[in-house]
Amino acid sequence: MTQAPATSRVGRRHHDREIVSLAVPAFGALVAEPLFVLADSAIVGHLGTAQLAGLGIASALLTTAVSIFVFLAYATTAAVARRVGAGDLPAAIRQGMDGIWLALLLGAGVIAVVLPTAPLLVELFGASDTAAPYATTYLRISSLGIPAMLVVLAATGVLRGLQDTKTPLYVAVGGFVANGVLNVALVYGAGLGIAGSAWGTVIAQCAMAAVYLVVVIRGARRHGASLLPDAAGLWASAQAGVPLLVRTLSLRAILMIATAVAARLGDADIAAHQIILSLWSLLAFALDAIAIAGQAIIGRYLGADDPQGARDVCRRMVQWGITVGLALGALVIVSRPAFLPLFTSDSAVKDAALPALLVVALSQPICGVVFVLDGVLMGAGDGPYLAWAMLLTLVIYTPVALLVLAVGGGLTALWVAMTLMMTVRMLTLWLRTRSGRWLVTGATR
């Protein structure tokens, strides 16, 4: 009677150590990524308002383009982790190399599209006559770094699948420092202006990709894995990525609809919405770190033909998600009065944001469950279900968000709709994990 609880406690401690060892470095790497844009903004901002506006437009376009291909990290993590669990490291690294080759091909395709169409893209984004030339310059130069950015995504997935989140943290921090130094040197030292900022970022991104390639190639040589592209492997990587691409595009559509609705509520509401959305994204990094740990651990357990181990760690990660969500929610409630003055002194913006922030705080435990279960199903390679579930969420959310406008609801009502969206996601993910249909074992799904 006393042995089972002791064994359970030992199991929980083991899972906790695994989760923390992977999630904490992953969180550091996730936070380092948006600091690239922050550093560029701080440096370019001193050149003038037009330059900063141009940077903002170009960065938004680049961020959107790269975020569409985040499946390169997710799908690669799951595929590599399965093979690690099966004890086949050469096949794991071989799968990772296919993901990297796919990243290079996609990156080349993006360059081919962006270079000739940069002025049109900037114009479609609504750039002013003064900001458009700067946005076009930055976009064209920075697009040259997109293949490197996509290689970083794929290689990060390889290392996460290999249960290594520390190397991506070190590379991200090193890239951030190099980006800052290069930007200052090229923008002001070399007098290149906004073009210098773009070149500095491209060089830093290429350096990060080079470090990742060195690490992965060393692993490939150590385990006798081929470095050449494999047509079947590329096709498998692309097939695994398509459902995750649908999922990502659906989520981006939800966020765009929310911003479009907020813009029609008035200047104070859209300003408050941008502040809240920034905070919501920051909170998501903490929860996404647990999800990343889930992708790596779940894939490994399923690859090792251990469905019960996958169930146990899934249950423990959900507990982590709820606990971290409660902590983040409490932090938001306590810090609301101090947080808003950091972004605005406008009382109308503060009045619009305060009640909406309370909704965000209360929704964090739900977000915690969503992020964790999302990571679990990604680690299981259950992409098709994730795609359909997100499409269903988009279908349900869209009329609710538009109803906010129709009934004259304000920003708080819009964030209630966002919470409904996360609740729908939670229900669809919970039903899937409860069914057990995701527990497909073996080196491949």
Side-chain angles (χ1 to χ4, degrees):
M1 295 295 291
T2 58
Q3 184 65 31
T7 303
S8 178
R9 285 196 296 271
V10 171
R12 285 198 299 269
R13 285 198 294 269
H14 172 70
H15 293 322
D16 288 346
R17 284 195 296 270
E18 277 197 311
I19 293 167
V20 170
S21 67
L22 291 171
V24 171
F27 174 70
L30 288 169
V31 171
E33 291 172 9
L35 292 179
F36 268 77
V37 176
L38 187 63
D40 287 1
S41 299
I43 293 167
V44 171
H46 292 286
L47 294 174
T49 301
Q51 288 91 332
L52 184 58
L55 172 66
I57 292 167
S59 295
L61 287 165
L62 288 165
T63 301
T64 299
V66 173
S67 67
I68 289 173
F69 299 111
V70 73
F71 69 82
L72 288 166
Y74 296 157
T76 304
T77 297
V80 171
R82 275 185 176 270
R83 286 163 174 79
V84 169
D88 192 349
L89 284 177
I93 297 174
R94 169 69 266 169
Q95 181 68 47
M97 285 304 304
D98 289 333
I100 290 172
W101 279 109
L102 179 61
L104 286 169
L105 290 173
L106 291 172
V110 173
I111 289 179
V113 172
V114 171
L115 278 179
T117 63
L120 176 61
L121 292 172
V122 168
E123 182 181 349
L124 290 174
F125 215 80
S128 67
D129 291 340
T130 54
Y134 297 111
T136 301
T137 297
Y138 191 94
L139 181 59
R140 275 182 165 157
I141 296 172
S142 292
S143 68
L144 301 176
I146 286 179
M149 295 168 73
L150 299 189
V151 166
V152 166
L153 283 177
T156 299
V158 176
L159 296 181
R160 288 174 181 169
L162 294 171
Q163 317 296 296
D164 176 10
T165 56
K166 290 182 179 178
T167 300
L169 171 61
Y170 300 147
V171 175
V173 171
F176 169 70
V177 173
N179 179 66
V181 172
L182 287 166
N183 267 256
V184 171
L186 295 175
V187 171
Y188 298 110
L192 296 180
I194 195 169
S197 176
W199 281 117
T201 300
V202 168
I203 294 170
Q205 289 162 345
C206 289
M208 291 171 65
V211 172
Y212 273 120
L213 288 174
V214 168
V215 172
V216 174
I217 288 171
R218 282 179 178 174
R221 288 176 174 169
R222 188 183 309 121
H223 295 285
S226 173
L227 299 175
L228 297 176
D230 175 70
L234 287 171
W235 178 243
S237 296
Q239 280 186 309
V242 168
L244 296 180
L245 174 61
V246 173
R247 168 202 167 274
T248 300
L249 290 174
S250 299
L251 180 57
R252 296 292 300 183
I254 287 170
L255 297 178
M256 289 174 63
I257 290 169
T259 300
V261 170
R264 286 161 176 78
L265 296 175
D267 290 346
D269 286 301
I270 183 60
H273 176 74
Q274 289 303 114
I275 295 171
I276 296 170
L277 191 59
S278 298
L279 175 64
W280 193 74
S281 300
L282 179 62
L283 297 173
F285 286 136
L287 299 172
D288 202 26
I290 306 174
I292 287 169
Q295 293 172 30
I297 297 171
I298 292 294
R300 193 187 76 232
Y301 272 107
L302 293 179
D305 292 319
D306 187 359
Q308 186 56 48
R311 280 188 183 277
D312 291 342
V313 77
C314 172
R315 187 178 301 111
R316 189 57 178 162
M317 281 189 293
V318 168
Q319 294 170 354
W320 269 87
I322 294 171
T323 301
V324 173
L326 287 169
L328 292 174
L331 182 62
V332 171
I333 292 173
V334 171
S335 64
R336 279 188 308 157
F339 171 75
L340 288 173
L342 296 175
F343 292 88
T344 182
S345 58
D346 189 327
S347 59
V349 175
K350 292 179 184 177
D351 290 343
L354 275 171
L357 275 175
L358 182 60
V359 175
V360 170
L362 295 175
S363 70
Q364 287 309 297
I366 296 173
C367 294
V369 175
V370 169
F371 275 83
V372 166
L373 293 183
D374 204 41
V376 165
L377 295 183
M378 282 186 190
D382 204 12
Y385 181 83
L386 290 172
W388 284 111
M390 188 60 79
L391 283 171
L392 174 64
T393 304
L394 174 61
V395 169
I396 294 174
Y397 169 78
T398 301
V400 175
L402 297 178
L403 188 63
V404 172
L405 283 177
V407 302
L411 188 66
T412 302
L414 176 61
W415 276 94
V416 169
M418 289 286 286
T419 302
L420 172 64
M421 178 271 294
M422 294 301 288
T423 303
V424 172
R425 289 188 68 191
M426 182 180 70
L427 290 174
T428 58
L429 297 173
W430 176 77
L431 287 171
R432 185 64 168 182
T433 52
R434 184 177 174 82
S435 73
R437 294 176 184 174
W438 56 282
L439 290 166
V440 180
T441 59
T444 58
R445 183 178 171 86

